Amino acid sequence: QLQLVESGGGLVQPGGSLRLSCAASGFSLDYYTMGWFRQAPGKEREGVSCISSSHTTYYSDSVQGRFTISRDNAKNTVYLQMNSLKPEDTAVYYCAAGFWRDFPSGDMDWWGKGTLVTVSS
């Protein structure tokens, strides 16, 4: 069964850090672009960051310089290190597997169920 499972979300104070993980099972991530998306209440889903199979990365302007995406193909896992968190980063974060060309539209092939990140004092 193909599955992506996110973990690492939670409640953090502004300025704090969290590391999200996305573990794949049932298929290998090696050849896929992996993306992180987020959706805040009442807002559209936003593509936050992605990393290609060759480790090329992309970050949205809203997280550039604060978030770092990485992948460990041996562990079939992708990570999102989030630093200097702001209240506006509060959202459900989803990981997805697909192809680089599909990341801007969000038309990825497989999706996790999401993990909630809440940034609040």
Side-chain angles (χ1 to χ4, degrees), residues 11-90:
L11 173 64
V12 63
Q13 292 187 341
S17 298
L18 282 176
R19 188 176 83 153
L20 304 183
S21 300
C22 172
S25 60
F27 70 108
S28 171
L29 298 181
D30 288 9
Y31 303 107
Y32 291 96
T33 287
M34 297 303 299
W36 285 97
F37 296 78
R38 68 185 180 186
Q39 188 163 22
K43 294 189 176 181
E44 292 188 356
R45 186 180 63 196
E46 173 191 9
V48 172
S49 179
C50 66
I51 184 167
S52 73
S53 57
S54 59
H55 294 249
T56 299
T57 58
Y58 161 84
Y59 299 95
S60 67
D61 289 344
S62 60
V63 307
Q64 176 75 47
R66 300 188 297 121
F67 290 10
T68 303
I69 192 170
S70 61
R71 64 192 298 160
D72 185 338
N73 288 348
K75 295 183 178 180
N76 225 22
T77 301
V78 177
Y79 305 96
L80 186 68
Q81 177 67 42
M82 307 187 296
N83 298 330
S84 302
L85 283 161
K86 305 175 181 180
E88 51 264 42
D89 294 317
T90 295

